[in-house]
Amino acid sequence: MVITGRVPLLLLLGLVPVVLRPAMSTVWLWFLLVAVATVVDWLLAVKPQSLTIERGDIGSTRLGHEAESRLTVGNLGTRPVRAVLRDAWQPSAGAENNRHQLRLAAGSRAVVTTSLRPSRRGDLRAVGVTVRAPGPLGLAARQLTLDVPGTVRSLPPFESRKHLPSRLARLRDLDGRSAVRIRGAGTEFDSLREYVRGDDVRSIDWRASARNRNVVVRTWQPERDRRVVLVLDTSRVSAARIGDVPRLDAAMDATLLLAALAARAGDRVDFLAGDRRVRARVRAAGARDIAARLQEAMADLDPVIAEADWSALAGEVNRLGRQRALVVLLTPLEPASVIESLLPVLPALLKHHRVVVASVQDPALGEMTRQRDSLSDVYAAAAAARVVEQRRRASDILAALGVHVVDADADQLPPALADHYLALKARGLL
């Protein structure tokens, strides 16, 4: 039973009879009259149990994008229903306009829609559907909360998708799918053609030329069917926020762009995410829907307050296969974490694979080093300069081992990593 705001107003209206007949019996009589009217109004209200509520499948949406939750409400009773329905979700689901006015005739059905705009990744659930049916006097209402299960899966947004067309155009030129196929873009043999002025004489195929009247040259294309292994660090260092975005989410964006590009290039893409243990694993083998599969795998990932066990993660990389691969470690370039945990396992990885470390920079460090208006700013600038120097030193140590380091801001890391991949492919280093 729910009492509406009309009840206290009606009680205040009782001041009129009390003034006209100032006696305690008048007060109690008015209270009794209001109570009886409220109970009668509640008894005359339609029971919410006469409604049937079904929720349609919502599916998934990308973080920050809209989805719709549709409820089909049916009136099984013999009386018309006038009620208010509230489709309640957990706060991070971002339910908007979730209160709906219902006017259903006996035996009729209606569909109500609630807009959802998730503010975090993962499976976001409905917490109940509340129906409030007021009585004819509007003094009281019957209210019932029903458990109508519903889930919307919020996927990583993949904001770097806008960089994919330009990188695919560069890949097509690199791959030789342009108007004229030229020598030098790769190391895998593609076909033979007649020699034209300007061709590299080292590309002449003398055996084929001996069987033809004209000089024949070989054409080449970038390596295909190579392996790319993406390793996403979900340890505590990935929980730091760069602006409004956690480092983990920025690394996910770079992972999606590189995976989509590598799959279009014909390479096989494997994905691992973990800290002290593996949290997600995807064996894609060059699937064209690699971005969608990775988004599903990364939807539930969150930073774990623990150090990354790089020896265990390196072992998982080796279990994926012994074929030489491009191993991309998406982990913050934190000096302590790199030197103590990552550095000891790199020599074993470098024996079989080419390793790239992709890290998200914090632009706030650069701003702090330039801000020196007060004494506290000077101390902050000195601390920031020390962190920058430590990161540079860690990068130099990795470079000395033969590890390529891609260190960029959150919005620049995905295209920078994709460009590095294309550069390696063009030089035949995969």
Side-chain angles (χ1 to χ4, degrees):
M1 181 179 182
V2 176
I3 297 176
T4 69
R6 296 185 181 185
V7 173
L9 292 177
L10 191 59
L11 289 174
L12 288 176
L13 189 61
L15 292 175
V16 175
V18 170
V19 171
L20 296 177
R21 185 177 179 274
M24 198 63 189
S25 59
T26 305
V27 176
W28 287 112
L29 184 62
W30 186 258
F31 270 108
L32 180 61
L33 179 63
V34 172
V36 170
T38 302
V39 171
V40 171
D41 193 42
W42 176 77
L43 292 174
L44 294 177
V46 177
K47 294 182 179 180
Q49 289 86 344
S50 63
L51 298 178
T52 61
I53 302 177
E54 298 177 355
R55 190 186 302 276
D57 184 34
I58 304 173
S60 59
T61 186
R62 286 182 288 168
L63 180 66
H65 292 69
E66 283 194 359
E68 289 187 344
S69 170
R70 297 179 181 272
L71 292 175
T72 303
V73 186
N75 181 9
L76 301 181
T78 58
R79 298 172 56 190
V81 173
R82 181 175 60 88
V84 177
L85 180 145
R86 178 175 180 264
D87 187 9
W89 288 75
Q90 64 184 86
S92 54
E96 300 175 353
N97 301 322
N98 62 340
R99 294 179 183 271
H100 309 279
Q101 297 289 337
L102 293 178
R103 294 182 182 275
L104 294 175
S108 64
R109 299 166 69 89
V111 177
V112 296
T113 302
T114 300
S115 297
L116 305 174
R117 188 183 291 272
S119 58
R120 61 176 291 270
R121 290 178 288 99
D123 291 331
L124 310 176
R125 294 176 173 81
V127 296
V129 176
T130 300
V131 179
R132 179 180 294 181
L137 300 178
L139 299 176
R142 293 179 184 267
Q143 180 170 302
L144 179 67
T145 298
L146 303 173
D147 183 17
V148 184
T151 302
V152 58
R153 189 167 180 80
S154 178
L155 306 176
F158 196 7
E159 298 293 347
S160 62
R161 186 190 301 269
K162 60 187 177 184
H163 299 292
L164 188 58
S166 61
R167 269 62 188 181
L168 289 178
R170 291 176 55 185
L171 180 63
R172 284 192 293 270
D173 292 338
L174 181 66
D175 200 25
R177 287 193 290 253
S178 53
V180 179
R181 188 179 291 263
I182 61 175
R183 167 73 170 93
T187 59
E188 286 192 356
F189 173 74
D190 179 66
S191 61
L192 298 172
R193 63 170 174 82
E194 291 186 5
Y195 175 84
V196 295
R197 182 172 297 180
D199 283 337
D200 191 340
V201 295
R202 291 175 297 179
S203 65
I204 296 176
D205 190 320
W206 296 107
R207 291 187 179 182
S209 299
R211 296 192 295 268
N212 291 272
R213 296 181 179 180
N214 301 317
V215 179
V216 176
V217 296
R218 297 177 180 177
T219 60
W220 308 79
Q221 66 177 1
E223 301 89 340
R224 302 179 65 84
D225 198 29
R226 294 302 191 261
R227 289 182 60 230
V228 178
V229 180
L230 304 172
V231 183
L232 183 63
D233 182 5
T234 61
S235 65
R236 64 171 184 84
V237 292
S238 64
R241 301 187 71 85
I242 307 300
D244 292 332
V245 180
R247 269 185 171 143
L248 181 61
D249 288 32
M252 287 180 180
D253 207 26
T255 300
L256 290 170
L257 180 61
L258 180 56
L261 182 61
R264 296 289 185 90
D267 294 334
R268 292 174 294 165
V269 181
D270 295 319
F271 170 76
L272 288 173
D275 35 83
R276 300 198 68 83
R277 64 182 181 87
V278 176
R279 305 287 175 176
R281 181 188 286 108
V282 174
R283 297 296 301 270
R288 287 303 182 98
D289 62 342
I290 178 64
R293 295 181 60 183
L294 288 184
Q295 283 178 303
E296 286 287 343
M298 293 189 296
D300 295 323
L301 293 179
D302 287 310
V304 176
I305 309 303
E307 294 289 343
D309 186 355
W310 283 108
S311 59
L313 294 177
E316 292 294 333
V317 171
N318 290 328
R319 290 190 189 95
L320 294 175
R322 288 292 183 179
Q323 180 185 353
R324 184 172 179 80
L326 173 66
V327 179
V328 181
L329 308 179
L330 293 112
T331 180
L333 198 61
E334 296 295 333
S337 176
V338 168
I339 294 175
E340 296 177 7
S341 181
L342 180 58
L343 203 59
V345 306
L346 285 177
L349 276 178
L350 289 168
K351 286 183 180 179
H352 306 285
H353 309 292
R354 181 172 297 277
V355 180
V356 175
V357 172
S359 173
V360 181
Q361 281 184 355
D362 188 355
L365 291 176
E367 297 176 3
M368 291 174 64
T369 57
R370 294 187 294 269
Q371 190 73 23
R372 303 183 183 184
D373 297 335
S374 64
L375 183 61
S376 61
D377 290 339
V378 172
Y379 282 113
R386 181 180 180 183
V387 173
V388 171
E389 175 62 22
Q390 289 176 341
R391 288 173 61 88
R392 187 194 60 78
R393 190 178 304 169
S395 178
D396 292 342
I397 293 174
L398 294 176
L401 290 175
V403 177
H404 295 276
V405 178
V406 180
D407 193 19
D409 295 344
D411 56 342
Q412 295 299 321
L413 180 61
L417 186 57
D419 291 341
H420 185 75
Y421 165 79
L422 292 174
L424 292 177
K425 204 168 186 66
R427 294 163 56 191
L429 297 179
L430 294 185

